[in-house]
Amino acid sequence: MISLTQAHPATVVADALVVICQSGPDGPTPLGDVPDDVAALVSATADVLGLTGGVDEVHRLPANGLRTRSLVLTGAGEEVTPESVRRAAGAATRTLAGLGKAAVVLPDDEPATLAAVAEGALLGAYTYTRYRLKPSKDEDKAPLGEVQLLLGHRATKAENRSAERAQVLADAVHGVRDLVNTAPNDLYPAAFAETARAEAKGVKGVKVTVLDDKALAAGGYGGLAGVGKGSTRPPRLVKVAYSPSRPKASVALVGKGITFDSGGISLKPAANMDEMKSDMAGAATVLATVLAAARLSLPVAVTAWCALAENMPSGTAQRPSDVLTTYGGTTVEVLNTDAEGRLVLADALAAAVEEEPDLVVDVATLTGAQIIALGRRVAAVMGTDDARDEVVAAAAAAGESVWPMPLPEDLKEGLKSKVADLANTGERWGGTLTAGLFLAEFVGTTPWAHVDFAGPAYNVGTAYGYTPVGGTGMGVRTLLTLLESRAAL
């Protein structure tokens, strides 16, 4: 929970007072309207404690002379930007699990700074404890309960709206993290569909439609049906539509929702297969984004298409060399059953463009090649030029790391099949781009962007900034910013 107050840092009552510091040649500099004794403490203890104000640096000290129990100094690095203060605020609140309330000193009076600090502080206040019988370490404690931003003046309507948006955004990101972190024995296609129904209940203007395995087979959704054949838990296509009264635009968001990916008959190596519970992050992201847009009453019609299946090996599983007929009639030869995400996305993309949206964006943990190309913190964006650039611009504004990638014509040759319209894999090199070229076959002339965030969607390393271990919730901020940009046109 977040609140705004005009209380001064010297008089505010809280469990912790968070001060953001900038690093510089003369040591760390506390930012904002901080008490003189806090500034003096930072200067006096910098050498002793190794304070630099560097990125992700957090120090918690006794709050002598203040009405808070502790003082938390968090670094923004040398360059103070919305993203650096977002990350600093998140790094601080991430260390405060188990506490009730923290007050954060704003570095300046800029509206973008308030929004960034609010977002970062709320994003950092996250823990996942569903499967813990009792807390075993600090990370397993309940997250920080309340964030209070110290304005120094009475909050304006615009500032209150900014805080409210930050809360809606953080709730959406936390929802994605929860879904991604859920064990696959608890989160399977039907369970995801029921979660979507439950989360959408009571949200104004939102309607949920679920196609089960029988409806998918009858409707010609051969990609979803084929991928789901090997599992005892059949596939689903979940459509979550937000319809405001006077929309300025219509946007379709398509998400890959493989609730667990074993690779199917083309079985993955055992090492790190546990991470494949995260293969539904795209579906979780588009679901959360649509609900956030509805809660913010954005004047944009947004539809999420969650393509859900479990990819398992069994006697009923699809085989390499099987031929599927996807929604709309395109036939695909399955050369590798571990290239399943593009098959379920093909169905959902074809269904989405049938409704003639102004823009379609798909989000998927699609290829290991994305991680090889861009690492674990930067997502790849492909698509028609204007749509791709729109997503890249939205990500920059939101503070998420993406990189535009091409769709080279020469790689299409690798998708030719001897027996079908397409093969589901091409040559080894440029695998991320080949996957994008495959998806492009299902969007026609609709402006389209494809986001491959196989690495950034799931953090297998240590926590940093506002990003926890496990599900990150990346993508929600970018998509919501994109929708807000469309609403402002």
Side-chain angles (χ1 to χ4, degrees):
M1 185 177 76
I2 194 164
S3 62
L4 306 179
T5 179
Q6 58 183 332
H8 190 269
T11 59
V12 68
V13 178
D15 294 303
L17 177 69
V18 177
V19 175
I20 297 172
C21 298
Q22 180 180 13
S23 64
D26 299 322
T29 302
L31 302 176
D33 183 18
V34 299
D36 292 341
D37 52 351
V38 170
L41 178 64
V42 172
S43 178
T45 60
D47 289 339
V48 176
L49 297 178
L51 299 176
T52 68
V55 174
D56 284 348
E57 179 183 275
V58 179
H59 291 271
R60 190 169 169 185
L61 312 172
N64 296 330
L66 299 174
R67 298 185 67 186
T68 56
R69 294 170 54 192
S70 61
L71 173 66
V72 178
L73 305 176
T74 181
E78 295 181 5
E79 184 179 4
V80 178
T81 65
E83 176 58 15
S84 73
V85 297
R86 184 185 288 112
R87 183 164 172 172
T93 57
R94 186 167 49 77
T95 69
L96 300 178
L99 297 186
K101 181 170 71 175
V104 183
V105 179
L106 290 174
D108 57 49
D109 294 329
E110 293 296 320
T113 301
L114 184 150
V117 171
E119 290 172 16
L122 290 171
L123 292 173
Y126 174 83
T127 59
Y128 186 72
T129 60
R130 173 174 175 174
Y131 298 107
R132 295 287 189 186
L133 179 61
K134 58 183 179 180
S136 61
K137 52 186 177 180
D138 288 344
E139 290 83 354
D140 295 330
K141 294 179 181 177
L144 174 69
E146 181 183 350
V147 174
Q148 197 171 59
L149 301 187
L150 306 182
L151 298 180
H153 60 266
R154 186 173 181 179
T156 65
K157 289 184 179 179
E159 288 169 334
N160 280 320
R161 284 196 299 270
S162 185
E164 290 166 4
R165 178 191 182 276
Q167 186 68 66
V168 170
L169 176 63
D171 289 345
V173 171
H174 291 175
V176 174
R177 292 172 177 175
D178 284 348
L179 283 171
V180 172
N181 290 332
T182 301
N185 57 311
D186 289 324
L187 187 69
Y188 42 91
F192 189 113
E194 289 309 307
T195 297
R197 289 189 190 277
E199 291 188 0
K201 189 176 182 179
V203 180
K204 186 177 179 181
V206 174
K207 179 182 178 181
V208 178
T209 304
V210 178
L211 297 184
D212 64 13
D213 52 317
K214 293 180 181 178
L216 292 172
Y221 294 87
L224 276 159
V227 173
K229 281 173 59 178
S231 175
T232 58
R233 301 189 289 194
R236 296 286 188 273
L237 179 61
V238 177
K239 176 183 176 183
V240 184
Y242 163 56
S243 304
S245 57
R246 295 182 179 179
K248 293 185 177 181
S250 61
V251 177
L253 303 177
V254 178
K256 173 187 174 183
I258 304 299
T259 57
F260 186 77
D261 183 17
S262 70
I265 295 295
S266 306
L267 194 66
K268 291 178 180 291
N272 304 318
M273 195 192 288
D274 58 293
E275 297 170 16
M276 289 301 99
K277 69 177 183 178
S278 68
D279 215 14
M280 36 56 66
T285 299
V286 300
L287 168 64
T289 301
V290 169
L291 296 179
R295 290 184 173 111
L296 292 172
S297 300
L298 296 186
V300 177
V302 194
T303 301
W305 299 80
C306 303
L308 307 167
E310 187 176 60
N311 189 24
M312 298 292 284
S314 74
T316 60
Q318 66 178 354
R319 297 156 290 257
S321 77
D322 277 1
V323 175
L324 307 177
T325 302
T326 60
Y327 186 79
T330 300
T331 58
V332 180
E333 182 183 13
V334 180
L335 298 181
N336 187 328
T337 65
D338 195 24
E340 85 300 327
R342 64 200 71 183
L343 299 176
V344 301
L345 288 174
D347 279 349
L349 283 168
V353 300
E354 203 171 57
E355 296 191 347
E356 300 183 345
D358 299 319
L359 171 70
V360 59
V361 181
D362 75 78
V363 188
T365 49
L366 203 60
T367 65
Q370 179 273 314
I371 305 174
I372 294 171
L374 297 175
R376 290 195 170 273
R377 297 190 185 182
V378 181
V381 185
M382 290 149 273
T384 53
D385 289 348
D386 289 348
R388 180 194 63 192
D389 294 346
E390 186 175 355
V391 172
V392 171
E400 294 192 313
S401 297
V402 307
W403 194 255
M405 302 287 273
L407 292 174
E409 287 289 321
D410 62 287
L411 290 180
K412 283 187 177 181
E413 188 70 21
L415 292 173
K416 288 185 176 179
S417 165
K418 295 179 181 179
V419 298
D421 296 324
L422 292 169
N424 78 325
T425 58
E427 63 179 81
R428 176 184 179 189
W429 313 113
T432 297
L433 312 183
T434 301
L437 287 166
F438 179 91
L439 297 178
E441 296 293 322
F442 298 89
V443 296
T445 59
T446 303
W448 158 76
H450 160 57
V451 180
D452 187 341
F453 65 167
Y458 194 74
N459 179 21
V460 299
T462 57
Y464 59 93
Y466 47 76
T467 303
V469 175
T472 66
M474 184 197 183
V476 174
R477 285 155 51 198
T478 293
L479 294 179
L480 191 60
T481 300
L482 182 150
L483 295 175
E484 289 169 330
S485 297
R486 285 270 170 161
L489 293 178

